[in-house]
């Protein structure tokens, strides 16, 4: 039986652990996720992108905790 993958905040974090958690979930390089997040934040005019980033940060479960 396959274990269900959960999106969690990473302990390897710079800001909330969102990028690290997404990188772990999709098994991809953390640097690419951070670059994409930075491009998204800058492209949306900083404030909307940062608001979305912080909402995601609060919505994702911290690593090691269950709902």
């Amino acid at each position: 039986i396959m274990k269900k993958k959960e999106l969690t905040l990473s302990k390897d974090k710079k800001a909330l652990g969102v990028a690290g958690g997404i990188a772990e979930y999709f098994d991809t390089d953390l640097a690419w996720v951070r670059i994409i997040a930075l491009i998204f934040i800058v492209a949306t005019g900083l404030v909307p992108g940062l608001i979305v980033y912080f909402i995601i940060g609060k919505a994702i479960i911290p690593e090691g905790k269950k709902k």
Side-chain angles (χ1 to χ4, degrees), residues 23 31 42:
V42 171

Side-chain angles (χ1 to χ4, degrees), residues 1-59:
I1 298 174
M2 286 185 65
K3 185 179 176 186
K4 184 180 175 188
K5 232 178 177 182
E6 286 186 340
L7 182 58
T8 59
L9 295 174
S10 176
K11 289 182 180 177
D12 175 27
K13 55 177 134 182
K14 297 289 181 193
L16 298 177
V18 174
I22 291 171
E24 289 171 9
Y25 184 80
F26 289 108
D27 194 30
T28 189
D29 188 18
L30 176 58
W32 285 112
V33 176
R34 286 185 175 149
I35 290 168
I36 291 168
L38 181 64
I39 290 169
F40 172 76
I41 290 169
V42 171
T44 59
L46 294 181
V47 175
L50 288 173
I51 290 171
V52 169
Y53 187 85
F54 284 109
I55 289 172
I56 292 171
K58 294 300 178 185

